[in-house]
Amino acid sequence: MEDANKLKEFEARIERGEKIEPKDWMPERYRTQLIRMISQHAHSEIVGMLPEGNWITRAPSLRRKMSLLAKVQDEAGHGLYLYCAAETLGVDRSELVGEFLSGKAKYSNIFNYPTLTWADIGAIGWLVDGAAIVNQTMLAKCSYGPYSRANLRICKEETFHKVQGYEIVCTMAQGRPAQRKMIQDAVNRWWWPSLMMFGPHDKNSPNSAELMKWKVKLFSNDDLRQRFVNLTVRQARAAGVTLPDPDLKYNPETDNWEFGEINWDEFWSVVRGNGPCNRDRMRARRRAHVEGAWVREAADAYAAKQRAKAAKSA
Amino acid sequence: MRNAETKSELSSRSQQDLFDYLLRLGDDRLVLGHRLSQWCGHGPILEEDLALTNISLDLIGQAKFLLELAGEVEGKNRSADDLAYLREAIDFRCLKLVEQPIGDYAYTIARQFLFDVYDYYQMEQLCDSKFEKLSAIAAKAVKEARYHLRHSRQWVLRLGDGTQESHRRIQTAFDEVWMYTGEMFEADDLEDRLLEEGLAADLRTIRTSWAALVHQTLVEATLTAPSDEQYMQSGSRKGFHSEYLGHVLSELQILPRSYPGAKW
């Protein structure tokens, strides 16, 4: 009975647009859904360091190298404060990392695709960060205070990343034939996976309705995807690259760019672990974890010794 | 000599010396920054991924300023990118210390600490260089070096006085890397001439400060300082490098080498 009243009050607060804070009462489903979403977001930031990190040592100028280092560093930072945001819900970071390393927790599918040329760094910044911004701009307004604030901060940095990525795209699109070929190829490969980043169609998205009721999500997957396409078509034209979709056409009635059917078989296949890089990404993260174990143990042992010393001298 | 603001105020001898000296400073930081960046996404803990990437970024930023200034001093219209991407290994002036592969985390930390101490005292002295453009770079770099040193020193203590395994690993790392420390202090005529003009740092006093802080830290970390009597590698400043440098450069330089003159 108590819970029913609490739930009513909770939903009324959400209706009024109030933020839910860590110490506030919340339904268990709200808590578990948020933990799932925030930790997936955190794992994605961490795995996302790998495809881009692949090009740091080969960046074509010192300026580009520094921007890419800064970008990947930002992603590690996002991962860190997203884990902190998840911890406000009563879970431990090591627990979440454990679920990720065991394969139980997911991360964004997009990072299971490879970065083949430098042009991929441009395409990722423009398309992948661009899609992430559309999603995170919404999440910055979500009902859970810590997650909303984390996304606000992330969006500011991602916007900068997108500008840098788009600049690479434009530079290469105006470059030599070999560069133009590379950038078009990268756009061809990243376009459809970027659209898949918004998740399945609304009718196939089991969590969406509940998340929208509690204002964790404010828009549906399909609405966000359409918003991204509308933004990106214009940018592609300005940059001088084409998007690999023969069905792309403008509908003046809805003011939308309509696009072709997404290959959902590919999407689900990659989700199930069959993408070009799923195994590489997981292997890299597991190896870092295993090979770093002695370092973490040393840090703990040293801290314990320091505490013991301090206690003795006190 | 009064403060030198532009290359026209430097004699052509000093100009050549200074060009070479700036390459030494710039190449050390470029190659070590490259090595550190290889940890990106693979660090033992997320906080260290952040720290190592950040330090790599600082070092490459410093290298960019130093190589830019080198190009300016040389007066042949070469940019920092030209110098980083279009020189052969024999024309690089970095230490073998920074060329070595990253190894395990203990090796990365031991090498980094030994360089950070050197870097810190070097940049501290260069703040007083009479070459104002260099002292301006040093003024910014010394702040970064202080943070890098605090980071690596803390890790030497943690690993040295952590577990048996970490102690063994970091001791092995110091033993292995030690023979690359001698040439950090190999002063030649070029550096002596620049020192006399008040342009360069004094490697002899840096060596004294370096040895004191390194030994004090190793003792505090319950580690044994390797003997200075052992064989020391030599000649990096004249272009005698390890085989590793060629591989670093083949990766680093691949795009500008493949598409000469292209904009990215």
Side-chain angles (χ1 to χ4, degrees):
Chain A
M1 213 50 221
E2 173 118 327
D3 273 10
N5 286 334
K6 280 179 177 168
L7 181 62
K8 217 169 150 191
E9 169 56 16
F10 170 84
E11 290 186 337
R13 288 187 63 195
I14 290 196
E15 205 44 51
R16 290 196 296 269
E18 288 175 31
K19 295 280 182 237
I20 305 300
E21 294 300 334
K23 292 207 169 81
D24 298 346
W25 185 89
M26 62 187 81
E28 210 42 40
R29 275 292 290 172
Y30 181 81
R31 186 186 301 276
T32 52
Q33 286 281 29
L34 272 167
I35 292 172
R36 182 185 61 81
M37 275 181 73
I38 301 174
S39 62
Q40 270 187 23
H41 191 169
H43 306 326
S44 303
E45 297 281 356
I46 304 308
V47 179
M49 295 170 74
L50 296 170
E52 293 182 279
N54 183 37
W55 279 90
I56 291 173
T57 56
R58 292 176 290 171
S61 70
L62 295 176
R63 181 174 153 252
R64 293 286 187 220
K65 192 187 286 285
M66 289 170 70
S67 311
L68 184 56
L69 269 165
K71 178 177 197 252
V72 179
Q73 189 195 353
D74 283 347
E75 280 154 13
H78 297 169
L80 205 55
Y81 48 79
L82 286 165
Y83 282 127
C84 291
E87 283 186 329
T88 63
L89 293 159
V91 279
D92 194 62
R93 176 170 137 195
S94 62
E95 222 176 296
L96 300 175
V97 171
E99 284 178 1
F100 161 63
L101 293 173
S102 75
K104 191 179 155 212
K106 299 286 178 220
Y107 58 90
S108 181
N109 230 10
I110 192 88
F111 301 119
N112 291 318
Y113 291 87
T115 49
L116 302 184
T117 69
W118 172 253
D120 290 46
I121 301 306
I124 289 180
W126 174 40
L127 298 174
V128 176
D129 288 69
I133 291 167
V134 169
N135 196 26
Q136 288 157 8
T137 304
M138 168 193 73
L139 292 171
K141 296 182 193 117
C142 81
S143 60
Y144 188 56
Y147 193 38
S148 147
R149 290 186 289 273
N151 276 293
L152 204 61
R153 194 169 151 190
I154 289 170
C155 275
K156 281 187 193 148
E157 293 180 350
E158 300 277 18
T159 302
F160 191 56
H161 299 164
K162 183 185 164 182
V163 169
Q164 287 172 347
Y166 189 59
E167 193 195 304
I168 293 174
V169 172
C170 293
T171 306
M172 290 187 73
Q174 288 155 24
R176 306 207 176 151
Q179 291 175 298
R180 295 208 296 272
K181 180 181 166 190
M182 273 188 248
I183 195 65
Q184 186 58 58
D185 179 75
V187 170
N188 292 349
R189 282 182 287 109
W190 288 97
W191 171 248
W192 289 106
S194 301
L195 295 191
M196 295 177 198
M197 281 174 73
F198 296 94
H201 280 314
D202 298 336
K203 60 180 190 297
N204 300 325
S205 180
N207 298 313
S208 277
E210 192 176 48
L211 293 174
M212 285 180 77
K213 180 178 76 177
W214 284 332
K215 293 191 180 170
V216 175
K217 287 173 75 166
L218 304 172
F219 303 99
S220 74
N221 294 353
D222 287 328
D223 286 348
L224 290 170
R225 189 166 15 242
Q226 185 63 59
R227 183 176 298 187
F228 171 69
V229 171
N230 290 349
L231 283 170
T232 310
V233 169
R234 291 178 184 92
Q235 291 162 358
R237 294 198 158 177
V241 292
T242 55
L243 299 173
D245 180 358
D247 297 329
L248 201 60
K249 66 170 188 296
Y250 181 67
N251 180 339
E253 276 170 32
T254 57
D255 198 24
N256 282 330
W257 280 90
E258 292 171 354
F259 50 95
E261 193 50 41
I262 290 169
N263 182 350
W264 292 110
D265 290 342
E266 176 184 321
F267 174 78
W268 290 114
S269 173
V270 178
V271 169
R272 281 192 294 267
N274 301 321
C277 298
N278 297 56
R279 286 177 178 80
D280 294 329
R281 303 298 183 231
M282 288 308 292
R283 196 182 296 126
R285 289 312 307 164
R286 284 179 186 138
R287 192 175 58 212
H289 189 75
V290 169
E291 289 180 3
W294 69 270
V295 179
R296 297 189 298 275
E297 282 159 18
D300 289 345
Y302 178 78
K305 284 183 196 177
Q306 293 302 105
R307 277 195 301 274
K309 265 186 210 166
K312 211 171 178 186
S313 65
Chain B
M1 188 180 149
R2 64 192 186 81
N3 286 359
E5 280 181 19
T6 61
K7 67 176 168 51
S8 61
E9 293 176 47
L10 298 163
S11 68
S12 70
R13 176 69 172 273
S14 313
Q15 200 179 316
Q16 181 54 45
D17 286 350
L18 202 48
F19 172 67
D20 207 285
Y21 185 64
L22 289 165
L23 292 185
R24 295 177 185 191
L25 296 173
D27 291 347
D28 277 350
R29 286 155 185 82
L30 177 63
V31 175
L32 186 55
H34 178 97
R35 283 302 189 201
L36 280 179
S37 77
Q38 293 177 311
W39 275 103
C40 197
H42 307 282
I45 188 167
L46 188 50
E47 283 79 352
E48 280 308 282
D49 258 319
L50 264 168
L52 295 183
T53 314
N54 193 20
I55 296 166
S56 166
L57 184 56
D58 284 346
L59 290 173
I60 289 168
Q62 292 170 14
K64 186 168 182 284
F65 284 124
L66 290 161
L67 294 178
E68 224 157 55
L69 189 55
E72 197 180 304
V73 165
E74 187 194 33
K76 289 184 183 162
N77 215 12
R78 286 205 278 182
S79 67
D81 280 346
D82 292 338
L83 290 169
Y85 286 91
L86 302 173
R87 270 182 303 151
E88 296 297 333
I90 50 170
D91 296 323
F92 270 72
R93 291 292 174 264
C94 51
L95 297 164
K96 287 181 204 59
L97 177 77
V98 299
E99 299 166 12
Q100 303 306 304
I102 55 177
D104 67 359
Y105 199 68
Y107 193 90
T108 284
I109 288 296
R111 179 246 304 272
Q112 193 65 35
F113 171 65
L114 297 172
F115 182 82
D116 288 343
V117 180
Y118 176 69
D119 182 25
Y120 175 69
Y121 288 121
Q122 200 174 37
M123 286 301 160
E124 193 183 47
Q125 281 201 25
L126 286 174
C127 288
D128 298 325
S129 168
K130 287 184 174 170
F131 187 34
E132 281 181 1
K133 286 184 173 173
L134 177 55
S135 68
I137 294 173
K140 181 170 182 285
V142 75
K143 290 181 198 145
E144 295 170 347
R146 190 177 298 132
Y147 155 74
H148 302 167
L149 175 56
R150 197 187 316 149
H151 171 263
S152 61
R153 186 173 181 280
Q154 199 59 43
W155 273 106
V156 170
L157 298 178
R158 284 193 191 109
L159 298 183
D161 197 16
T163 62
Q164 275 186 354
E165 181 180 10
S166 69
H167 180 90
R168 176 182 59 74
R169 282 182 186 251
I170 189 91
Q171 182 67 58
T172 306
F174 275 112
D175 293 344
E176 281 181 13
V177 82
W178 203 255
M179 71 169 170
Y180 300 111
T181 58
E183 59 182 5
M184 291 200 280
F185 308 105
E186 246 169 32
D188 55 5
D189 292 350
L190 180 152
E191 296 214 11
D192 285 343
R193 285 193 298 272
L194 288 173
L195 182 60
E196 225 163 80
E197 293 183 77
L199 300 174
D202 182 356
L203 286 173
R204 291 168 195 87
T205 60
I206 293 176
R207 175 169 217 158
T208 312
S209 312
W210 181 90
L213 183 53
V214 167
H215 282 91
Q216 181 244 318
T217 305
L218 291 183
V219 168
E220 197 181 329
T222 73
L223 294 165
T224 312
S227 161
D228 282 329
E229 301 303 309
Q230 69 167 281
Y231 182 79
M232 286 290 179
Q233 294 292 329
S234 160
S236 282
R237 300 304 194 197
K238 300 210 179 316
F240 296 104
H241 294 286
S242 65
E243 286 182 346
Y244 296 117
L245 182 61
H247 293 282
V248 166
L249 296 182
S250 66
E251 199 172 332
L252 187 137
Q253 298 180 335
I254 176 76
L255 282 170
R257 292 279 197 181
S258 307
Y259 303 93
K263 300 252 181 308
W264 298 92

